[in-house]
Each structure stands twice: as C-alpha cells, then as structure tokens.
Amino acid sequence: DDVPEELVDRAILKEQKSAKESLDTCPASRTDLLEQYQQRYDIISEYAPAMMSEDEIRSFLQQNAAEELASKNRGQIMKKVMPLLKGKAEGGTISKVVGELIK
C-alpha cells in the first residue's frame, strides 16, 4: 500500500514496452509465441496508465512551456517537459508535437 503510484505505473509501462518489443520481433511463423506475446501485451495494457494524446500534449506544452516554445530550442523544451510528462506520454509523441510547434 505504501508504494507510490508513479513507481507502479513506471513498472507497468516498462513491462508493456518489453511485451510490445517481444511481439514486434517475433517471427510470423511462430504463431504459438505470437499468441502468447499478444496475450501478455493485452493483459499488461489493461493495467497501464492511459497515455496523453497529441492534442493533450500540445495543450500541455502551450500552457506549461510557453517560454521554451518561443525560444524554438528543441533541447531546452524537451529538457523541461520530459520530467513533467514522464509516464503520462510517450517520448516519441512528445518529440513529434514539439517539432510541429516550433516550425
């Protein structure tokens, strides 16, 4: 009961990523393994925290990182927002939205 929710979410997300990698790298001919990996991924996904959408990330960035967005310095923006969005949004999605906003 005394384990922080953030730590639990991080562990679940790590396992979800591992299950996804297993699923993606499994040969198509190994249907037995594919089924097992898919079941594992589906079960973990049920407990994983919901990730923010691109629109939610865009709104968050505009509200919480306006100064950094104005500078158009991708590194500075990512340095500020990654700790704030850790476990709430995927890094690739955050980077994509940042790229769109600084164009």
Side-chain angles (χ1 to χ4, degrees), residues 5-80:
E5 187 174 335
E6 179 183 319
L7 187 60
V8 173
D9 288 347
R10 210 174 335 154
I12 292 171
L13 289 172
K14 185 176 180 178
E15 284 301 310
Q16 183 183 34
K17 182 178 179 181
S18 174
K20 179 70 172 156
E21 287 173 359
S22 296
L23 187 60
D24 290 344
T25 59
C26 184
S29 62
R30 295 295 311 264
T31 55
D32 57 327
L33 285 178
L34 280 173
E35 184 177 324
Q36 180 183 4
Y37 292 156
Q38 184 65 52
Q39 287 176 346
R40 180 173 175 246
Y41 179 77
D42 291 343
I43 290 169
I44 293 169
S45 294
E46 287 180 33
Y47 296 96
M51 294 286 112
M52 294 171 70
S53 69
E54 287 185 20
D55 290 336
E56 291 171 323
I57 295 169
R58 189 173 292 108
S59 175
F60 179 87
L61 291 173
Q62 290 168 340
Q63 292 174 5
N64 298 293
E67 286 183 34
E68 288 79 6
L69 286 171
S71 74
K72 298 196 181 282
N73 181 331
R74 180 185 290 264
Q76 184 179 2
I77 297 165
M78 295 299 286
K79 184 177 179 179
K80 175 171 182 161

